[in-house]
Structure formats: C-alpha cells, structure tokens
Amino acid sequence: MDLLLSARPGRGCTVVEVRGDLDMATTPHLREELQLLVDAGDRQVVVDMAGVGFMDSSGLGTLVVIFKALREVGGRLCLAAVQPAVHSVLRITSVDRVVAVYDSVQAAEADVPSVDGASGG
C-alpha cells in the first residue's frame, strides 16, 4: 500500500493525516514531509495516525527524529488516533512516554498550548 499524506491547518497546529503502512519503503516520504513543515516554521504538529495499521522501527525512528527537531525549536509533535497495533509499538519502546498520544485529533488540538502573539504560517 502506498503512503498517502495530507497536511491541513488545525486549531493552533498543523494536522498531518497519514494513511498506509509506515515501513522502510514509505517512511522516507513521511520524514521528508514532516521536515518540510519544521523548515517552514510549523511548531505544533499533530500526526493523525488513524489510517496507519502497521509501523516498523523506521517509522518509529522518523517520529522520534521529528519530535526532537520540533523540540529544539520550541515546538511539539504529538500523535492522534493511533491504532492498537501501532500503539503497541509505541508502548513497548516507551516512545509513548515522550511523545504525547491522543485518542483523537480533536483531543490533540484541544491540548495545543496557545502562544501569545503567534501568527499562522
């Protein structure tokens, strides 16, 4: 299955919808797209994982790399609507202790910290 990505403005954040499996073949595309958002100045990124049924270590690594990149510039990466199989990977590796995981995109958006004087971009 091909990886489908789409980004849209959310409430105080950018929501990236991911559909497909995150494996060695597809993960570079995700990493490139997320890095473009960071480079463009996005600081609050919610990754909607509702359409991801499988994620291997390359997908996990990409999420950690982007999490760190955003943290270094005062931003935040969080995951939403994570499927059980993927959530297992996050739990086993303890990534869910570092990267916030929400039941839904709406819950993640509601928890985005407001930044005074910030402009959308």
Side-chain angles (χ1 to χ4, degrees):
M1 176 185 214
D2 290 336
L3 188 68
L4 302 174
L5 301 173
S6 63
R8 65 170 174 80
R11 239 177 47 217
C13 63
T14 299
V15 177
V16 178
E17 182 182 342
V18 183
R19 296 181 101 30
D21 292 344
L22 288 175
D23 56 28
M24 287 177 48
T26 60
T27 297
H29 182 53
L30 175 65
R31 185 173 182 161
E32 180 180 307
E33 291 298 315
L34 291 175
Q35 188 61 54
L36 285 172
L37 292 175
V38 175
D39 294 346
D42 290 75
R43 294 297 175 255
Q44 304 294 327
V45 178
V46 175
V47 180
D48 179 354
M49 304 279 285
V52 178
F54 172 82
M55 180 175 71
D56 69 9
S57 61
S58 62
L60 190 68
T62 288
L63 293 175
V64 170
V65 164
I66 298 300
F67 169 83
K68 289 180 179 180
L70 279 164
R71 187 180 60 185
E72 286 173 8
V73 295
R76 178 172 176 253
L77 174 82
C78 61
L79 308 177
V82 178
Q83 297 301 308
V86 174
H87 202 270
S88 256
V89 172
L90 297 171
R91 192 170 41 257
I92 289 166
T93 57
S94 297
V95 169
D96 65 342
R97 294 180 182 208
V98 179
V99 179
V101 179
Y102 295 89
D103 290 338
S104 68
V105 171
Q106 293 78 11
E109 287 176 316
D111 205 31
V112 169
S114 60
V115 180
D116 295 331
S119 61

